[in-house]
Amino acid sequence: MDKIRNFCIIAHIDHGKSTLADRMLELTGTVDVRSMEAQVLDDMELEKERGITIKSHAIQMDFKGYTLNLIDTPGHVDFSYEVSRSIAACEGAVLVVDATQGVQAQTISNLYMAIEHDLEIIPVINKCDMPNAMPERVEDEIIDLLGCKREEILRCSARTGEGVEEILDAIIEQIPAPVGDPNAPLQCLVFDSVFNSFRGIIAYFKVVNGTMHTGDKVRFVNTGKEYDADEIGILRLDMSPRKSISAGNVGYIISGIKTSTEVKVGDTITHVARPCDKAIAGFEEAKPMVFAGVYPIESEDYEDLRASLEKLQLNDASLTFQPESSMALGFGFRCGFLGLLHMEIVQERLDREFNMDVITTVPNVSYNVYTKDGNTVEVHNPAGMPDLTEIDRIEEPYIRASVITTADYIGPIMTLCLGKRGELVKQEYISGNRMELLFDMPLGEIVIDFYDKLKSISKGYASFDWHMNGFRPSNLVKLDILLNGEQVDALSTLTHRDNAVDFGRRMCEKLKELLPRQQFDIAIQAAIGAKIIARETVKQVRKDVLAKCYGGDVSRKRKLLEKQKRGKKRMKQIGNVEVPQKAFLAVLKLD
C-alpha cells in the first residue's frame, strides 16, 4: 500500500486538466503512441466535440515503481457532483490554474471541496509557454488562496509536456498513501457505474479495507443484494482483469447485474461470509436545481424512454426522474438536472446513445407553497400549483452567487444581476484589478439564460459559482399561454409579478413567429388567472374568393365573403393547433 497514490485533477473550465492527464499517460507509458489522441480519457463523442469533460474518468498508471490512480474531473459548475465523488475516492488533488486567466470561481469552489475532505493539495500553474502568461501574478493569487510557499507551486505546460515529470514526482512525495487494512473485512466504496449491453452493469469502486478476489460472493449493503464477483480488475485504458484487489486500490467489478436500480453510487460492497460492521459514509445526494418535463415524441416509446433514463442514471448519478403526465404531451417524466448545460447534455445523450427523440418543456425550479389551511406543498411544475384562492404565500429558492471579474466589467454585471432581482451582499478586491461580487439571487431567475448573458457581457472573463441559500417569500404568479382559448400546460411558467406582463408579451410575439399559419385565425394569449395580459394573432391563410368578380354589385362580393367566413368558423371549431418543438425551446432563448 505504501506504493499506491490516489489523486484527482481539479480546475476551472478550460484550464487544461484533460491535456495534463494526456501528458501524464504518455510519460508513464500507459498509452502507447499509436492509440494516443487529444483528450484520451474523454470517451464520449460529445466530450470530444465540445472540448469539455462531462464524466470523471479513472485510470491507473505506473511510475518509478509506484501505482498512481488518476481521476480526471469535469470543470463546469453543472458537473460539480462528479467532482465531489472523485474527491471522496482520493487522498490528494492536483489543483491546476491557467497562467493566462488566474484563479477563477470554480477553482475556489473545487478547492474548498477538496480541503473539506482533508486532501493534500499540489498547486500547478499550467500554460506557462503562452505568450500572454503571467505566472508571477497567478502565483501571488494562489499564495493568497492556499497560504503555501512560492517554491511549492509547480509550473508546467500540458501542451508541450514541460514540467509534467516534476508534478508526478511531487504526487509521489507529497500525497499520502491510502490508509486501510488489507486483512480486515471487505469495505469498498462504489463511486461510478456504467451499463454494458453484453456484460450487464459494471461498478467502479475504491477498496477502503480488505481484499476482494475473483469469484468471491459479495453483497451491496444499501440494496442488500448478493452477487458473485465474476470478474474484477483495474482500470487501464481498457479494463484489465486481476485475480485480487486489495485496500487502497481502485478497480471495477462485473457480476452480471441486469437491473439498474440495484447499483447505487455511494453504496458499500462487502463479503457475504465476513461482512463489515458498517457501511462507508458515501456522498450526499445530488440536489437537482432545474426541473423540466421530458416526453417521448411517440407515446408508445414511453417504456423505452424509462429504460434509457435508468441506464443513463447509472452513468450520471445526479440525474433524477419521476413519472408525470401532461394534457398536451401525454405520459413522460419530470427530470431534475443540476443546471441548463446538464439538461442539454442529457437530452443529447438520450438522442445519441439510446436513439430517443424527446420533447423537453420549459425548465423551472421547485417552490414551497403554503396553503391557507396550514399545509406545505413542494411544487416542481406550474401545473401542480394549488388554486390561487387557497394560497397563503409562495417561497422560492435563493442562492448566494459569487462572480469573479476584472474591474472593467463591474457596471454591466451589476446591471444584469440587479435586473434579475439580485441583492448585492458585498464586493471586494482579490488581487490587482480582479474583484469578487457576492449576490443573493432567486434561483428561478438564473436557470434560463443568466450564465450565457454573463459570459457575453464580460467577454468570457467573468466566472460564476453558487450555492443554495434557503427559501424566501416572493410575489410569484402563474403565467399561462392560451391558444384559441385552450391552455398549453407545457408552456406555463411561474414568474415574478413585476416581470409577468413583459415576459407574457415577449412570449406571445415569439410564438407568433414560430406557429405555422392555419386555415383559421389562431389567438395566442398570455393570462394570469382569468386576466389576459397580452395577445397576438396568427392570421389565417385565405383563398381570394373575389378573384372572379369583375365589377357588379357589392352584394355579390359580400355574399362570397360571408360564405368563406362561415366555412372558416366551422373549421375553427374542429381544427386544433400543433405546437412545434422549436416553440418549447424558444422560451429559453427569449431576449
Side-chain angles (χ1 to χ4, degrees), residues 80-289:
S80 54
Y81 185 61
E82 290 285 329
V83 182
S84 75
R85 291 181 6 218
S86 311
I87 285 175
C90 294
E91 282 82 39
V94 175
L95 180 76
V96 179
V97 183
D98 186 331
T100 60
Q101 294 183 33
V103 172
Q104 301 282 327
Q106 201 53 32
T107 317
I108 296 174
S109 104
N110 286 343
L111 173 69
Y112 286 158
M113 219 188 296
I115 291 173
E116 268 171 36
H117 283 79
D118 293 333
L119 264 61
E120 181 66 40
I121 311 286
I122 299 178
V124 170
I125 299 181
N126 187 19
K127 307 192 187 178
C128 288
D129 59 325
M130 301 282 274
N132 57 343
M134 29 181 202
E136 282 78 18
R137 234 175 80 186
V138 178
E139 271 180 3
D140 293 339
E141 289 175 13
I142 295 177
I143 291 167
D144 285 349
L145 187 64
L146 277 174
C148 59
K149 298 189 179 69
R150 191 174 291 274
E151 55 273 15
E152 289 173 9
I153 302 172
L154 302 172
R155 294 188 185 186
C156 79
S157 160
R159 198 172 51 128
T160 60
E162 171 198 338
V164 177
E165 193 165 341
E166 286 76 26
I167 298 174
L168 288 169
D169 290 335
I171 288 167
I172 290 173
E173 285 160 24
Q174 294 175 29
I175 292 179
V179 289
D181 179 359
N183 303 316
L186 181 69
Q187 261 186 327
C188 307
L189 177 70
V190 178
F191 65 89
D192 204 357
S193 54
V194 57
F195 182 80
N196 181 315
S197 43
F198 303 108
R199 315 280 316 255
I201 290 157
I202 303 169
Y204 298 158
F205 60 85
K206 179 192 175 186
V207 186
V208 179
N209 283 313
T211 305
M212 188 191 287
H213 299 274
T214 307
D216 283 355
K217 201 160 183 58
V218 294
R219 176 189 295 134
F220 282 69
V221 177
N222 280 359
T223 55
K225 296 272 199 281
E226 298 179 1
Y227 307 99
D228 292 319
D230 299 334
E231 182 185 307
I232 60 171
I234 56 168
L235 298 155
R236 289 291 170 128
L237 200 52
D238 301 314
M239 296 184 285
S240 70
R242 292 283 186 274
K243 288 273 184 288
S244 67
I245 298 178
S246 62
N249 239 324
V250 174
Y252 69 90
I253 175 170
I254 300 177
S255 48
I257 307 173
K258 294 287 181 285
T259 23
S260 46
T261 48
E262 291 176 18
V263 176
K264 292 244 183 318
V265 166
D267 201 349
T268 303
I269 308 178
T270 186
H271 279 138
V272 173
R274 190 175 161 220
C276 56
D277 45 3
K278 64 178 198 301
I280 305 166
F283 340 94
E284 65 274 14
E285 290 285 309
K287 265 224 166 79
M289 295 301 166

Side-chain angles (χ1 to χ4, degrees), residues 303-318:
E303 281 304 324
D304 293 349
L305 178 60
R306 180 198 292 275
S308 307
L309 281 170
E310 280 176 356
K311 288 173 190 169
L312 195 55
Q313 195 179 29
L314 274 175
N315 201 278
D316 180 354
S318 51

Side-chain angles (χ1 to χ4, degrees), residues 392-463:
D392 176 37
R393 68 182 194 281
I394 303 177
E395 290 191 350
E396 64 174 333
Y398 263 69
I399 61 164
R400 173 64 55 90
S402 139
V403 179
I404 295 180
T405 175
T406 51
D408 320 346
Y409 304 112
I410 286 195
I413 288 174
M414 288 269 209
T415 314
L416 173 71
C417 294
L418 298 173
K420 297 273 187 193
R421 310 203 322 259
E423 299 160 14
L424 182 64
V425 180
K426 71 168 184 180
Q427 61 184 69
E428 59 183 359
Y429 278 96
I430 304 176
S431 65
N433 72 337
R434 303 238 333 266
M435 291 190 75
E436 181 177 28
L437 305 170
L438 286 181
F439 288 93
D440 278 346
M441 297 173 75
L443 181 60
E445 293 282 344
I446 70 155
V447 296
I448 292 189
D449 57 357
F450 177 80
Y451 195 66
D452 295 348
K453 282 186 176 166
L454 180 72
K455 281 292 181 202
S456 52
I457 60 177
S458 66
K459 301 194 172 61
Y461 276 108
S463 62

Side-chain angles (χ1 to χ4, degrees), residues 360-381:
T360 314
T361 64
V362 183
N364 48 34
V365 297
S366 60
Y367 299 91
N368 288 343
V369 179
Y370 294 86
T371 54
K372 287 182 176 159
D373 51 10
N375 291 333
T376 311
V377 188
E378 193 175 284
V379 175
H380 299 312
N381 184 349

